[in-house]
Amino acid sequence: MPLRNLGPEESRAYLALRGVPADQIDGVLDFTHGHALALSLVADMYDQGPDTQFRPEAAPNVIQTLLEQLVQQVPSPIHRAALEASSLVRLLTESLLAALLRQDDVREVFDWLRGLSFMEVDRRGLFPHDLAREALTADVRWRNPDWYNELHVQARNYYMHRVQNSSGQEQRRLLADYVYLHRDNPSVRPFFQWQETGTFFTDALRPEDLPALIAMVERHEGSESAGIAARWLARQPYNVSVLRGAGGAPTGFLARVTLEATSAADRELDPAIHTVWQLMNRKPLRPGETATLFRFWMVGATYQDVSPEQSRLFLNMVQDYLVTPSLAYTFLPVADPEFWRIPFEYADLERLPEADFSIGGRRCGVYGHDWRETPVVNWLQLLADREMNMTPPGQRVRSIAESLIVLSEADFATAVRDALRDYKDAASLAANPLIRSRMVISQSGNEATPIARAAVLRKLLRETAESLEESPKLSKLYRAVYHTYLQPAVTQEQAAEVLDLPVSTYRRHLRSGIEEITSRLWSREVGNLEG
């Protein structure tokens, strides 16, 4: 906080300037001992109520006591709610405050917050002094847990909406704000640090960065690993994010490898690629799908230790989860897998010891995530469920019911035809392999019953079929599908008669309609799913 702790005379002058009555200044000084935040809180109390009589009781936590008294004297309940809301988010803006309080106009309340002396003002928003934040958060969490939870939900919804409609640096900033909501969870707090000032930033790889990055790898992982890094930095330079300090020099980096773009020679030369490729082949990539190995990630000064720069690298990884089309797998090797176990389990990363590898006598452990099994929309909900659960989750045991099935394109097409045929038969739909597909599980949730998943599948079939009707060229295909499956005639001949078509033409339309529906569902299955 810019305010420094003050000496007796400076403290006396500050309190007098802030309007504290002269006959009460000595009592305030005895209580605060010149602590800058405590002095500012007392002064703010007098701002809220000029008739304040400061009679502090002995208390071991001065800041907590003062905040409790301040909160009791705020101008209105909406001001109190705004003060509490400010403690939960990393940076508060007027638009965020409006979302948190569900109010259209919060200008006056926001200006009031900004005028409090223990509030810091940043170019991107405002936030309370750390000690004030901790005391406010602890108080609202204990006193009104329902309101505390509601604030988290409102903030989460605000951030996720904006993350999905942003990109680049702005998206990473919003992700940092979103992750900040998890800061009090014991599975996250010791392993993540937030950058409050703009001392470094993420940038693309430049040719002149290569010597510094390769030297960084050699310093922390040895010459053999540095040689492999040089190969990947040259082969996939577009997959490298570089952290730069204020002067522009690299301070760390993240190098990804797109696995399906590797060759057999690549996999022989790099043990990390070899092991994850072998593991991935148990459920191979389907056409159009992609897989990412975060092959190198490190900070020059601290390697993979906890630091603001390391936390920024993690945000880059999360950003990849959100924006990479048709992402099936991500893999993350770490030098100390046991150290990262708790936060990685919290983030639903699975420990994959069979993918561990050694280079130059150094062994790395590997974590991973199958995005076909738990797509991004489900993953975000999982994190939301854990956000306010203060008990470490432990390694998640997936039930048989939630296990995802990976179908080939041909098997997928067969399943779609069968599902259309059984559209009216819930029991048969519940036995269709598509109820364990990514597109169904993403909407039904992992714990849904087969009957509930069948209902989701039926909805997807109907919506996809109806989407054909939007095109004049395809509407005739929709009508053939509609009178055959959605609202079926007794026989195909009768369906052709209803449509006033020759049977051969009707069947051609039906076949084309099924193919179009299958194609659209397949794109949904292997591509990005809408949340």
Side-chain angles (χ1 to χ4, degrees), residues 92-104:
L92 186 69
T93 63
E94 191 172 323
S95 61
L96 174 55
L97 182 61
L100 294 175
L101 301 184
R102 299 188 181 185
Q103 299 282 328
D104 293 330

Side-chain angles (χ1 to χ4, degrees), residues 486-500:
L486 307 188
Q487 200 62 44
V490 177
T491 65
Q492 290 195 356
E493 288 74 15
Q494 289 184 5
E497 185 177 342
V498 169
L499 294 168
D500 194 24

Side-chain angles (χ1 to χ4, degrees), residues 94 138 149 162 236 262 395 398 432 522:
E94 191 172 323
N149 291 348
R162 279 155 181 76
Q236 296 187 6
T262 62
Q395 190 168 7
R398 294 169 173 83
N432 189 291
W522 176 253

